[in-house]
Amino acid sequence: MSRLHDMGGRFGDGAVVPDAPDAPVFATDWHARALAVTLACGALGKWNIDVSRHARECLSPKDYTRFSYYEKWISALADLLVETGVLTPEDLKGQSGDGLHALASAALRAEAVAAVLAKGGPANRPSAIAPIFAPGERVKTRHPGGSALVDGGHTRLPDYAVGACGQILRQHGTHVLPDSNAHGLGEAPEPLYAVAFPASELWAHPEHPHDEVVLDLWQSYLQPLEPGAQI
Amino acid sequence: MPHDHSDHPHAVLPSDPALRVKALETILTRKGLIDPAALDEIIDTYQNKIGPQNGARVVARAWSDPAFKAALLADADPVLAELGYYGRQGEHMVVVENRPERHNMVVCTLCSCYPWPLLGIPPGWYKSDAYRARAVREPRKVLADFGVTLPSETAVRVWDSTAEVRYLVLPMRPAGSEGLDEDALAALVSRDSMIGTALATAPSGAGDLKGGDLNVGDLT
């Protein structure tokens, strides 16, 4: 079983409501502050992008459902700050002093923002694991799904594509494995592929016979399709 | 897993989201962990400097310059880096081209991955449960929510951004846009057309165009 964030293919969410062409980038001021506080805290270097995604996913189902997008961000950030020891629960209650934190020297300064955002955080790494699939090859995703490393842990194999047969579309090189990196188990880079799945392989009632869904999947999510098997 | 305890630390913050953000910002600022001026700078960057105008310039150039387009489709990263479009959430870019036989559409079902250096911060609908849940299973019904109808012979390829690779859709160049310069072409390229939930806008006076119109870029 997965968590609530893994919602691809789910029924019952209703219409997508496009925004007005002139809608502001941030619907309200606190959305902008939530994004900025989260990015600034990320610059403290106490976690990586996979840890922060997992923190959002680990909000309780009740909170995940009722929170708006940026409420999820800010709540997961508060949880992360405590989990990594940056803050204590007493700090969050406003019950501690205002002295400078030991990490204060690492705080992101205004003059460094442009350079930090422009620098980005590439996920490709050299890897000792050689690619075993080539474009055009047929593969099947791991079954059961979920994290193979940590029970209930982070993975980027969505439930809807578990046990599905597809075809390698392109190779992206070797990238950090989120399943490992989200849990402090190392970056464990391995080959990453774009894999195309016929819609008919994923859905009981596909809209069109030639539709496809492409997912980026790590090599350890995939196994070769048995010779002679059809997709 | 500490996260699976019922006593999530965030529960001690105020319940109103605006106050929750304010409380956290205040605590972090007093401890010197964040610099409010840095927050202002981050917000200014994504509100005023980085946005879909960047992606539109790339599309307009691809429509105008076949060699640029070929390089962009073959290996986008060096091409975009040369234009200065690199950075957070755009480290590994792939550009996918719409053609009469295939329409591309981008989603992130697991969170909200999006090519920030080219399109800025994603719109609310992109991050909504409805889009994340439905785009992979019923893209045509989702397109209908945007007022877009594809010809029956056009297949849809939906890209679910499950890794750190970010996708940009190169929409078809609309008929009637012959002779326009890159600035005029860029004005036809909406944010949504680069996500794949819209088509490029036909130039005014080009007549009533639909999604099935010929990609004039293919003829040149």
Side-chain angles (χ1 to χ4, degrees):
Chain A
M1 275 306 289
S2 190
R3 296 179 189 263
L4 284 188
H5 72 283
D6 186 0
M7 62 182 68
R10 186 173 74 185
F11 286 84
D13 285 285
V16 178
V17 182
D19 52 1
D22 58 349
V25 173
F26 298 106
T28 74
D29 184 53
W30 73 261
H31 288 183
R33 301 310 283 182
L35 176 121
V37 170
T38 304
L39 295 196
C41 286
L44 294 171
K46 297 294 282 184
W47 54 79
N48 59 54
I49 190 164
D50 300 304
V51 168
S52 64
R53 283 203 185 107
H54 188 57
R56 284 170 208 149
E57 295 162 10
C58 284
L59 292 169
S60 73
K62 198 167 83 176
D63 285 347
Y64 197 92
T65 303
R66 71 192 168 104
F67 283 170
S68 63
Y69 182 78
Y70 285 114
E71 282 180 274
K72 294 186 185 86
W73 273 41
I74 211 72
S75 301
L77 174 62
D79 293 345
L80 259 185
L81 286 164
V82 171
E83 192 186 325
T84 55
V86 176
L87 296 182
T88 64
E90 289 67 39
D91 290 329
L92 290 185
K93 292 175 195 162
Q95 293 172 350
S96 59
D98 284 346
L100 276 190
H101 195 281
L103 273 178
S105 60
L108 179 65
R109 300 294 159 204
E111 55 273 20
V113 165
V116 166
L117 296 179
K119 184 165 172 251
N124 59 324
R125 303 281 187 277
S127 170
I129 302 174
I132 59 170
F133 303 115
E137 263 183 84
R138 292 172 171 192
V139 292
K140 184 171 186 170
T141 59
R142 190 174 70 208
H143 182 277
S147 166
L149 299 177
V150 176
D151 196 19
H154 182 68
T155 186
R156 298 292 283 181
L157 173 61
D159 248 12
Y160 75 83
V162 167
C165 299
Q167 194 165 24
I168 303 285
L169 200 58
R170 61 190 296 162
Q171 203 199 320
H172 291 305
T174 49
H175 282 228
V176 173
L177 178 68
D179 310 46
S180 177
N181 201 37
H183 297 283
L185 301 173
E187 294 191 327
E190 58 173 72
L192 175 71
Y193 306 89
V195 185
F197 298 87
S200 57
E201 174 70 10
L202 306 173
W203 319 115
H205 301 278
E207 285 185 326
H208 188 282
H210 300 302
D211 281 359
E212 294 172 306
V213 180
V214 180
L215 294 90
D216 287 329
L217 301 173
W218 281 261
Q219 187 158 290
S220 58
Y221 296 2
L222 304 170
Q223 59 194 60
L225 199 61
E226 305 74 28
Q230 296 293 313
I231 59 168
Chain B
M1 293 297 301
H3 287 306
D4 282 337
H5 294 171
S6 55
D7 55 341
H8 289 264
H10 71 256
V12 305
L13 291 170
S15 60
D16 176 87
L19 295 179
R20 182 177 300 153
V21 177
K22 188 72 196 163
L24 198 55
E25 184 181 340
T26 303
I27 293 161
L28 291 163
T29 303
R30 283 183 184 156
K31 291 182 177 295
L33 290 168
I34 57 174
D35 171 8
L39 304 192
D40 294 340
E41 187 67 28
I42 292 169
I43 293 166
D44 180 53
T45 299
Y46 290 113
Q47 214 156 37
N48 303 313
K49 295 174 185 162
I50 297 179
Q53 67 275 13
N54 294 2
R57 279 189 211 109
V58 173
V59 170
R61 177 122 185 242
W63 283 346
S64 310
D65 180 345
F68 176 87
K69 177 175 148 181
L72 184 72
L73 294 175
D75 186 7
D77 288 333
V79 177
L80 295 171
E82 198 165 313
L83 296 172
Y85 299 146
Y86 179 82
R88 191 189 168 86
Q89 288 299 306
E91 296 91 347
H92 310 284
M93 286 299 309
V94 171
V95 178
V96 293
E97 183 188 20
N98 282 349
R99 304 183 66 86
E101 68 275 14
R102 181 186 291 135
H103 179 85
N104 295 279
M105 196 167 142
V106 182
V107 64
C108 171
T109 62
L110 296 174
C111 46
S112 53
C113 297
Y114 191 77
W116 290 17
L118 290 159
L119 298 183
I121 300 297
W125 61 260
Y126 184 85
K127 300 177 281 198
S128 70
D129 286 6
Y131 187 72
R132 288 168 54 188
R134 294 176 52 213
V136 281
R137 181 172 50 78
E138 47 183 16
R140 283 176 180 71
K141 290 199 181 75
V142 169
L143 287 171
D145 289 344
F146 288 82
V148 173
T149 308
L150 297 176
S152 58
E153 64 271 22
T154 304
V156 177
R157 183 178 265 177
V158 181
W159 300 79
D160 188 355
S161 312
T162 43
E164 299 307 328
V165 180
R166 299 288 169 263
Y167 293 92
L168 185 84
V169 175
L170 177 60
M172 289 198 289
R173 179 171 175 168
S177 63
E178 302 84 352
L180 296 182
D181 65 17
E182 283 187 31
D183 284 346
L185 288 172
L188 307 177
V189 184
S190 67
R191 174 195 64 205
D192 294 2
S193 75
M194 294 179 279
I195 305 172
T197 56
L199 308 178
T201 315
S204 51
D208 181 26
L209 297 174
K210 301 189 297 294
D213 284 313
L214 198 57
N215 180 0
V216 298
D218 290 340
L219 300 176
T220 55

